Amino acid sequence: MEKKYSVAIYPSEEVIEAVKTMKDYLKSKINWYNSCNSTAHITICEFTVDDSQIDTYKQKLFKNCDRLIPVQVNLDHFGYYDNAGAFFIAPDEDSKNSLRLVMKKVQETLKPLNLKKSDDPHMSIGRKLAPENLKIASQLFTTIDIDFLCYSIVLRELDPVKKQFFVIDTFEFGNNPQPEFVQGSLF
């Protein structure tokens, strides 16, 4: 049976709690909205695959994550996507570049799959917000400065009833980078 999965970065418990407080505050002002109940995360990609194949991809993720090095992430400003009605917390430039490398490596690992990829690392507060609610969010939240150490990724499965992803596995970074293979020439 095909199931929907997501690979994401979860921040520290402190950041998860801080973001939950922000989401709850926004919910108190505009009522229910998309992603108001989701755990704080940075999406790397989503895909659908037969559940009989997921162990193969778990092994690939484990092998890939063993090579990754933990990165410090600083989230220092808010942003939004008008077209998606998304309001989010964004990383500084150094963190964005480090996260993009992690995201790219993970996405390459899952390349045979038809991935819905994210290439702009961000932590959503709300999605599919109406323009007036996007404006309210940007007025409520103006400054932020939080950080965490990204040392793992999570694999999540969609609960079709609750319409929420739940974590089924965590892959810690092994800090064992492999030298890049460069094609040489004999002559």
Side-chain angles (χ1 to χ4, degrees):
M1 181 171 84
E2 283 204 332
K3 293 183 179 176
K4 188 170 184 178
Y5 297 94
S6 164
V7 180
I9 296 166
Y10 271 23
S12 65
E13 262 322 301
E14 295 80 20
V15 173
I16 288 172
E17 282 304 312
V19 172
K20 182 180 182 333
T21 300
M22 285 185 256
K23 288 181 176 210
D24 289 347
Y25 186 56
L26 181 58
K27 188 176 172 183
S28 77
K29 300 294 183 188
I30 67 171
N31 297 317
W32 184 92
Y33 62 90
N34 281 317
S35 78
C36 67
N37 296 320
S38 70
T39 303
H41 66 279
I42 297 172
T43 301
I44 296 174
C45 60
E46 293 180 3
F47 60 92
T48 302
V49 70
D50 192 276
D51 60 349
S52 66
Q53 296 178 306
I54 197 63
D55 284 340
T56 301
Y57 292 102
K58 283 183 180 185
Q59 288 300 322
K60 290 180 179 193
L61 287 169
F62 175 78
K63 187 175 180 180
N64 184 49
C65 286
D66 186 54
R67 297 177 179 155
L68 294 177
I69 299 167
V71 295
Q72 189 63 37
V73 177
N74 183 38
L75 303 166
D76 69 350
H77 64 282
F78 292 99
Y80 58 89
Y81 301 127
D82 275 331
N83 59 341
F87 183 76
F88 56 84
I89 307 169
D92 65 21
E93 276 306 308
D94 287 342
S95 298
K96 182 183 276 193
N97 292 333
S98 296
L99 287 169
R100 279 186 173 149
L101 288 173
V102 169
M103 294 165 77
K104 185 178 176 191
K105 294 276 188 198
V106 171
Q107 291 164 354
E108 286 171 0
T109 301
L110 302 172
K111 204 172 199 161
L113 297 170
N114 184 19
L115 299 178
K116 179 181 168 189
K117 299 185 228 179
S118 172
D119 60 356
D120 187 24
H122 64 279
M123 193 173 294
S124 294
I125 299 293
R127 294 181 304 107
K128 298 180 184 174
L129 297 174
E132 61 273 13
N133 290 339
L134 199 55
K135 184 178 179 185
I136 290 169
S138 57
Q139 290 170 343
L140 290 175
F141 307 111
T142 56
T143 61
I144 190 156
D145 187 15
I146 54 179
D147 57 61
F148 68 95
L149 182 65
C150 172
Y151 62 88
S152 66
I153 60 170
V154 295
L155 177 63
R156 307 178 309 161
E157 183 182 314
L158 182 67
D159 179 326
V161 176
K162 292 182 178 178
K163 305 246 188 268
Q164 289 283 334
F165 283 102
F166 62 95
V167 175
I168 60 170
D169 219 332
T170 301
F171 304 90
E172 291 195 10
F173 299 170
N175 203 12
N176 294 311
Q178 302 295 312
E180 294 290 323
F181 178 74
V182 178
Q183 180 70 43
S185 173
L186 291 174
F187 303 101

